[in-house]
Amino acid sequence: MPAPSGPSSTDPKNLFERYQPYRRRAEVGFWVLVMALQAAFNSVVAVIDADRAGRALPAWQPVTWELSSHLVLLALVPAVLAFERRFPLGAAGFLRHLPWHLAASVAFSLLHVAGMVGLRKAVYALAGSHYDFGGAEQWLYEYLKDVRVYALFLIAILSYRLFMLRLQGEARVLDPPEAPAGTVSAPVQEAQTPARPERFLVRKLRREFLIAASDIDWLQAQGNYVGLRVKGHDYLLRATLTDFLAQLDPARYARVHRSYAANLDRVAEIEPLEGGDARLHMQDGTQIPCSRRYREALRV
């Protein structure tokens, strides 16, 4: 049974596209909510544990401990996100980048401890008291907790990315048809010419679509993937931008930026910018950057 054709530009927005305007707020809200709930829960537990141990601690002290810790952890989330983008832990780069993340967990813990100790000392000073963190043994204890938190951050980031990938849709080049038995192979020179895919198979939420390669408006490098803009819809294909461009018609598709390539037939307007750069206005209404070093490609 043939797969249904790709969605047209007049199709109603899918769930992924309807989510996009709220995505940043939802992501920030998620981390804020998780850290706030965790801080509140741990504060209550710390107060109860102190009472059971017979320690006469004012409630503001354990609350300060937990709030300072989780505020710093929340502030470190963007750094973990940026570091994981630089050293992605996908299937292709997991073993290669894992040592970098082990080293990063140490830096993560040092920043966490330094930040929370600074906040605690400030609060204690305002209360007319003194906070003593302890020595290297206490930091080792904190690191054993922080490395688990760092790992949980990465698990949350990777799980969310996988969910968004399923929601957005992942494309792959269709496998070339097998040559019938007894067919004479093409000359070596022709065999070495990279095959240019005519269509892609896109899987999205248990549905499949066939997309014509000629319908790609522009492409963007996104870590281990290439983002394909096709008739107002976005899809991801597991490849590098350089490798994938080698499979497309060079007379139609050209690199215009370190992270972008464009279908030259879909460029509506070139807006010059300072320094020789430019902004490309595409026929679908989107805009992509064009670096000065790639401007020559637009004259082809």
Side-chain angles (χ1 to χ4, degrees), residues 88-110:
L89 286 173
F94 182 83
L95 293 179
R96 184 170 70 254
H97 293 155
L98 183 59
W100 287 102
H101 284 278
L102 291 176
S105 68
V106 178
F108 175 85
S109 181
L110 290 172

Side-chain angles (χ1 to χ4, degrees), residues 25-287:
R25 282 176 287 177
E27 291 170 351
V28 173
F30 166 80
W31 288 108
V32 171
L33 180 61
V34 168
M35 290 294 109
L37 291 176
Q38 189 71 13
F41 176 81
N42 288 354
S43 295
V44 173
V45 171
V47 171
I48 294 174
D49 286 345
D51 289 341
R52 287 183 174 179
R55 298 178 352 184
L57 287 179
W60 67 267
Q61 289 188 1
V63 171
T64 298
W65 303 340
E66 298 302 331
L67 285 180
S68 61
S69 175
H70 287 82
L71 279 174
V72 177
L73 288 176
L74 182 62
L76 288 173
V77 169
V80 178
L81 286 165
F83 193 82
E84 198 282 329
R85 282 195 297 267
R86 175 63 180 83
F87 299 97
L89 286 173
F94 182 83
L95 293 179
R96 184 170 70 254
H97 293 155
L98 183 59
W100 287 102
H101 284 278
L102 291 176
S105 68
V106 178
F108 175 85
S109 181
L110 290 172
L111 291 172
H112 176 221
V113 171
M116 73 180 187
V117 168
L119 289 175
R120 292 174 185 179
K121 284 183 176 293
V123 173
Y124 271 62
L126 290 174
S129 184
H130 173 72
Y131 176 77
D132 182 21
F133 172 71
E137 183 178 347
Q138 181 63 26
W139 176 79
L140 180 60
Y141 168 76
E142 291 294 336
Y143 173 73
L144 293 177
K145 294 194 300 181
D146 285 342
V147 71
R148 288 180 295 172
V149 174
Y150 186 85
L152 288 174
F153 278 11
L154 291 177
I155 291 173
I157 292 168
L158 296 175
S159 299
Y160 178 71
R161 182 176 300 155
L162 178 61
F163 170 75
M164 294 304 296
L165 181 63
R166 295 293 301 275
L167 197 63
Q168 180 176 357
E170 183 175 6
R172 70 173 178 86
V173 179
L174 289 175
D175 297 329
E178 296 182 1
T183 302
V184 179
S185 60
V188 175
Q189 183 176 1
E190 294 184 5
Q192 293 177 345
T193 302
R196 291 177 183 163
E198 296 182 358
R199 293 179 179 83
F200 306 95
L201 181 66
V202 174
R203 289 190 174 92
K204 177 185 292 190
L205 299 180
R206 300 183 181 179
R207 299 180 63 189
E208 293 184 347
F209 304 93
L210 282 178
I211 295 176
S214 58
D215 287 338
I216 300 175
D217 296 312
W218 50 268
L219 310 90
Q220 179 186 10
Q222 299 183 26
N224 295 328
Y225 290 86
V226 176
L228 309 178
R229 181 72 174 185
V230 182
K231 293 186 175 181
H233 296 266
D234 296 300
Y235 306 101
L236 291 178
L237 185 142
R238 190 183 293 272
T240 66
L241 182 58
T242 299
D243 291 343
F244 187 63
L245 274 179
Q247 302 180 64
L248 299 178
D249 185 356
R252 170 177 287 181
Y253 295 92
R255 196 167 198 143
V256 296
H257 184 272
R258 181 172 58 89
S259 301
Y260 288 86
N263 183 340
L264 301 180
D265 294 337
R266 306 292 169 80
V267 177
E269 179 184 346
I270 303 173
E271 177 187 354
L273 302 174
E274 295 182 3
D277 294 339
R279 182 181 295 115
L280 304 185
H281 296 257
M282 309 302 292
Q283 293 178 2
D284 66 353
T286 57
Q287 301 176 11

